[in-house]
Amino acid sequence: MASAVIVCLLTLLCYLSAKHDAYGQMGCRQQRRVFYLLLLLALLVRLMFLMRPAELSDDVYRYLWDGLQLLSGYNPYAAAPQNIAVTDSARLFLQPLINHPQLVTIYPPAAQLLFAVSGGTLVGWKLLLCLLDLGSCVVLAQLLLRLGRSPWWLSIYALHPLVVLEGAASAHVDIAALSFVLFSLWFVVATNTAACHRRPILTLLAALCLAVAVMVKLFPLLFVPFIYLLLPPQQRRLFVAVLGISCVALVLPFLPQIVNATATLQLYVANWEFSGYLFRWLRSSLNSGLAARLLLLVVFGLVVASNWWILRRHGANLRSVLRSCLAILLCFLLLTPTLHPWYALYLTAFLPLAATPSAITMSWSVLLSYQVVAGYRLSGLWQESSLLSFYIFLVPVAASLLMGGVSLWRKRCQIRWARL
């Protein structure tokens, strides 16, 4: 029922956005009203899930366990949960709920600090994520204003079922990492328009936010070279220095036990897979999972490198960087062997700023992967569907081809009319 309400609201607001774009620009007062309305709706939708247990994923129990370990004075990287003898009721309750209890936690140091700040309780963690998520909405609204886009575009993120389910419902830590990426992006944008004496402070804040994002989830490392290009040349060395020092400072308190997390990371990179259709097809064709992973990694690396090289050669601005990041995120979701729905959160956050049909459809089709959870609840068997993986892959690809065909047809029609 909640998802149906979200979809109806999202459809209505997208219609209003299109109507606004057709009838001209809003005044500042109208823009503020739209933003406050969307922020209120976003808050209400998230409150619907605040007190509910996490039903679509059990990752949150690892978060709470790590937070309680840190609050109890123990290094979360010291030992796997199943090897720890506990006596307090909170950890006794969480211990049997943790997935893969034989593995040391994989989450970086900033994530551990956030887990501890939440107090090791589900409601506390969800409240923290909701605050950060609403902060993301504020930043997106400011970026939309800077780009001259309708404030109604914010509804694509603020009311997207994927964002609500992965944030307020399942409480995935990616919501926090994404928020700090957006904070960093906003400080970088502000740096380009600020007075010279304020630029070092804004650059410092941008680097600190991005360092926190990387130390919450390693995936935001992908954004570092692109945010770097947006900075004024004289601020880039400061940005890199502060980013590196901040990451080291977050790691140092957890040494030397943090090295244990690398074993879990290696296991994840080498063996984990979920809903990755292209990976499954390549593995079957090459008869080698390792070869398929390496090939996809090389292709993705070429996509990232080519986008960065083009931006550097032709000059990077906010619009071009956003389009490149959206394209790279879409390629990642299509190429990755492990496609959990919450991996698409980063893509969804860039939709209000640089939406494309293929990216929009991908943010919805990825929800199909939750079918495996429904089957598991009913039968107790975790059985993925290759057909659903194909649909998840096919929908954005088909949308891209369709829009390409429409664009080509329009160009041909324009040429024909020009000749008449």
Side-chain angles (χ1 to χ4, degrees):
M1 179 63 71
S3 297
V5 172
I6 295 171
V7 171
C8 292
L9 288 173
L10 191 59
T11 304
L12 174 63
L13 294 175
C14 286
Y15 166 76
L16 292 174
S17 175
K19 185 176 180 180
H20 158 68
D21 289 340
Y23 289 97
Q25 293 292 328
M26 289 182 178
C28 293
R29 182 175 297 179
Q30 290 176 304
Q31 289 180 344
R32 286 197 296 268
R33 288 175 179 174
V34 171
F35 166 66
Y36 292 143
L37 172 63
L38 291 176
L39 196 64
L40 177 61
L41 288 174
L43 175 61
L44 292 176
V45 169
R46 283 154 178 77
L47 289 177
M48 294 168 63
F49 295 91
L50 191 62
M51 303 304 295
R52 293 185 61 85
E55 297 169 324
L56 296 175
S57 171
D58 54 6
D59 287 355
V60 68
Y61 300 117
R62 170 76 74 161
Y63 305 161
L64 302 180
W65 171 270
D66 287 354
L68 289 174
Q69 284 290 99
L70 195 57
L71 290 173
S72 301
Y74 299 106
N75 191 327
Y77 304 101
Q82 72 175 19
N83 298 329
I84 299 175
V86 295
T87 55
D88 58 285
S89 58
R91 285 186 293 171
L92 280 173
F93 171 76
L94 290 173
Q95 199 169 31
L97 300 176
I98 299 171
N99 57 26
H100 307 291
Q102 75 281 7
L103 300 177
V104 174
T105 184
I106 198 175
Y107 301 104
Q112 302 297 334
L113 296 176
L114 290 177
F115 300 156
V117 167
S118 69
T121 65
L122 181 58
V123 175
W125 174 242
K126 284 191 173 186
L127 278 173
L128 179 59
L129 285 187
C130 285
L131 289 174
L132 289 172
D133 200 17
L134 293 175
S136 296
C137 293
V138 174
V139 173
L140 286 172
Q142 295 299 318
L143 291 172
L144 286 170
L145 181 63
R146 180 63 60 91
L147 292 168
R149 292 171 67 87
S150 166
W152 289 109
W153 280 104
L154 178 60
S155 62
I156 293 182
Y157 176 84
L159 299 178
H160 200 297
L162 178 69
V163 179
V164 177
L165 290 175
E166 301 303 339
S170 297
H172 273 111
V173 71
D174 298 75
I175 288 286
L178 172 59
S179 296
F180 284 104
V181 169
L182 292 175
F183 297 157
S184 177
L185 181 61
W186 172 243
F187 285 127
V188 168
V189 171
T191 301
N192 286 281
T193 58
C196 292
H197 68 279
R198 293 185 59 195
R199 288 184 176 181
I201 298 175
L202 293 171
T203 302
L204 175 68
L205 292 173
L208 287 174
C209 288
L210 194 54
V212 173
V214 171
M215 289 290 102
V216 169
K217 199 77 181 280
L218 295 179
F219 184 79
L221 276 170
L222 179 67
F223 300 105
V224 172
F226 297 95
I227 290 179
Y228 171 88
L229 288 179
L230 280 177
L231 284 163
Q234 61 272 21
Q235 299 297 323
R236 291 175 178 174
R237 289 185 179 179
L238 175 62
F239 175 80
V240 173
V242 174
L243 178 65
I245 293 172
S246 301
C247 290
V248 171
L250 287 167
V251 169
L252 284 176
F254 295 92
L255 289 174
Q257 290 92 340
I258 195 174
V259 177
N260 296 333
T262 59
T264 305
L265 181 61
Q266 291 172 1
L267 184 64
Y268 170 82
V269 171
N271 298 291
W272 244 254
E273 61 174 272
F274 180 73
S275 289
Y277 170 75
L278 196 56
F279 166 73
R280 291 183 179 184
W281 179 78
L282 283 173
R283 181 180 59 186
S284 176
S285 302
L286 301 174
N287 200 26
S288 171
L290 178 60
R293 290 176 189 271
L294 290 176
L295 180 58
L296 292 174
L297 179 61
V298 170
V299 172
F300 181 66
L302 290 174
V303 171
V304 174
S306 60
N307 273 271
W308 189 83
W309 181 80
I310 292 171
L311 288 172
R312 186 179 182 184
R313 182 174 182 178
H314 297 285
N317 56 52
L318 181 58
R319 290 181 185 274
S320 61
V321 167
L322 290 173
R323 286 195 295 266
S324 291
C325 287
L326 189 74
I328 290 169
L329 290 168
L330 179 60
C331 286
F332 170 79
L333 296 176
L334 293 174
L335 298 175
T336 180
T338 308
L339 180 55
H340 292 302
W342 52 92
Y343 289 2
L345 286 171
Y346 304 91
L347 177 80
T348 309
F350 281 82
L351 290 180
L353 308 174
T356 63
S358 54
I360 292 175
T361 53
M362 184 71 198
S363 72
W364 288 83
S365 67
V366 73
L367 290 168
L368 291 173
S369 63
Y370 270 130
Q371 183 271 343
V372 69
V373 179
Y376 179 73
R377 300 293 186 190
L378 293 173
S379 64
L381 297 176
W382 186 273
Q383 187 172 0
E384 297 180 42
S385 170
S386 298
L387 186 60
L388 283 180
S389 298
F390 172 68
Y391 288 152
I392 294 170
F393 177 86
L394 176 64
V395 169
V397 172
S400 181
L401 293 174
L402 177 62
M403 293 308 299
V406 170
S407 178
L408 181 61
W409 178 76
R410 286 179 177 176
K411 288 181 180 179
R412 288 183 176 180
C413 290
Q414 290 173 356
I415 294 173
R416 288 178 181 177
W417 280 105
R419 290 176 178 175
L420 293 177

